[in-house]
Amino acid sequence: MRILAFCAHPDDVEINCAGTLAKSIQRGDEAYIVNACLGDKGHYYIEPKEIGKMRLRESQMASKVIGAKVSSLNFSDAELEINHTNLELFVKKIREINPDVIITHVPDDYHLDHVAVSKLVVDASFLVSVPHCYPDQKAMEHTPQIYFMEPYTGISFVPQEFVDITDTFDLKLEMLSCHKSQIEWLKEHDGMDILDFVKVSAAYRGFQCGVKYAEGFQRLTTALRAIPGRFLP
Ligand SMILES: [Zn+2]
């Protein structure tokens, strides 16, 4: 299978679904990460242009840890709009990767970029198989399955499917540790030790499903998506 984590910012994947991506790769899947935004507002004193470049490098280092292929749509943070131009960009990006499964943000997440990415991914992932939409690019032959990862801090999120990440938890931490600028920013801005947080969060989800560490997901089950069977590792 081909699995795509389509998120807003560099580090979103690492916080909420990196253990699952690592496990997918271990079972033989190809894994892709797309960050819609540059992450260029994520620091107190490093200027946007510079922090954007730093975060691109951090994201590339993190992806290398598990062998995922990463790319960015290069939007500036807080400037991603839900409109037809951006919908076309999302459709074309998904078609390029041709994923079976897409993991993205939950629709009611806390950050406007997360909400925009979630909406654009869900809408685009339906249009990817419609040949008359953006006919200059070949349409996909299937409609990808969509999974929502939990929001930052996990408030009010009830998982429907768990992935046991006990064996890949160290890789998740190693990936997240590559995002040095964000470990700093989240400590200063949110008062959050993000490495400690993901440990608590994965242990809590693990406790819920009877393993040491887990990540939790909700699945989109609208028309064409409610195919029986399990797609996550
Ligand atoms: Zn984010």
Side-chain angles (χ1 to χ4, degrees), residues 134-197:
Y134 320 114
D136 54 318
Q137 190 189 36
K138 191 179 177 296
M140 282 170 57
E141 287 170 8
H142 63 279
T143 306
Q145 297 299 307
I146 300 280
Y147 286 86
F148 299 119
M149 58 189 200
E150 59 180 287
Y152 182 46
T153 76
I155 291 175
S156 78
F157 184 84
V158 180
Q160 297 163 332
E161 287 188 31
F162 292 95
V163 175
D164 178 358
I165 61 159
T166 307
D167 294 340
T168 56
F169 183 71
D170 287 344
L171 291 170
K172 177 184 169 93
L173 272 192
E174 195 180 331
M175 286 177 76
L176 187 55
S177 301
C178 295
H179 293 270
K180 287 195 176 22
S181 70
Q182 295 314 285
I183 293 169
E184 214 172 274
W185 161 252
L186 293 170
K187 213 168 259 176
E188 288 176 357
H189 183 263
D190 299 6
M192 170 87 87
D193 180 334
I194 193 65
L195 290 166
D196 193 40
F197 167 75

Side-chain angles (χ1 to χ4, degrees), residues 16-210:
N16 289 314
C17 70
T20 299
L21 279 193
K23 195 162 174 170
S24 295
I25 288 174
Q26 286 180 357
R27 77 172 174 183
D29 293 350
E30 282 177 33
Y32 297 80
I33 296 170
V34 175
N35 300 311
C37 305
L38 292 163
D40 59 350
K41 308 272 166 63
H43 211 274
Y44 268 116
Y45 49 85
I46 303 176
E47 290 297 320
K49 210 167 167 193
E50 188 52 35
I51 189 70
K53 279 190 223 154
M54 279 173 72
R55 295 194 66 184
L56 198 61
R57 286 195 297 271
E58 289 172 347
S59 184
Q60 285 163 345
M61 277 168 58
S63 309
K64 254 191 208 147
V65 171
I66 58 167
K69 296 176 185 73
V70 68
S71 57
S72 174
L73 295 182
N74 299 320
F75 284 93
S76 217
D77 288 7
E79 293 179 24
L80 174 62
E81 291 177 11
I82 300 169
N83 58 36
H84 280 283
T85 306
N86 292 341
L87 183 61
E88 179 175 353
L89 274 178
F90 274 60
V91 168
K92 290 189 168 172
K93 191 67 188 177
I94 295 170
R95 280 178 176 167
E96 262 172 40
I97 294 171
N98 193 28
D100 300 288
V101 170
I102 304 175
I103 298 174
T104 190
H105 299 284
V106 74
D108 60 351
D109 209 336
Y110 83 111
H111 193 294
L112 70 169
D113 292 334
H114 293 202
V115 173
V117 166
S118 183
K119 172 73 176 153
L120 287 164
V121 165
V122 170
D123 289 350
S125 69
F126 176 75
L127 299 181
V128 291
S129 65
V130 179
H132 283 321
C133 290
Y134 320 114
D136 54 318
Q137 190 189 36
K138 191 179 177 296
M140 282 170 57
E141 287 170 8
H142 63 279
T143 306
Q145 297 299 307
I146 300 280
Y147 286 86
F148 299 119
M149 58 189 200
E150 59 180 287
Y152 182 46
T153 76
I155 291 175
S156 78
F157 184 84
V158 180
Q160 297 163 332
E161 287 188 31
F162 292 95
V163 175
D164 178 358
I165 61 159
T166 307
D167 294 340
T168 56
F169 183 71
D170 287 344
L171 291 170
K172 177 184 169 93
L173 272 192
E174 195 180 331
M175 286 177 76
L176 187 55
S177 301
C178 295
H179 293 270
K180 287 195 176 22
S181 70
Q182 295 314 285
I183 293 169
E184 214 172 274
W185 161 252
L186 293 170
K187 213 168 259 176
E188 288 176 357
H189 183 263
D190 299 6
M192 170 87 87
D193 180 334
I194 193 65
L195 290 166
D196 193 40
F197 167 75
V198 296
K199 200 173 269 186
V200 171
S201 170
Y204 176 58
R205 296 305 181 198
F207 176 74
Q208 290 179 318
C209 66

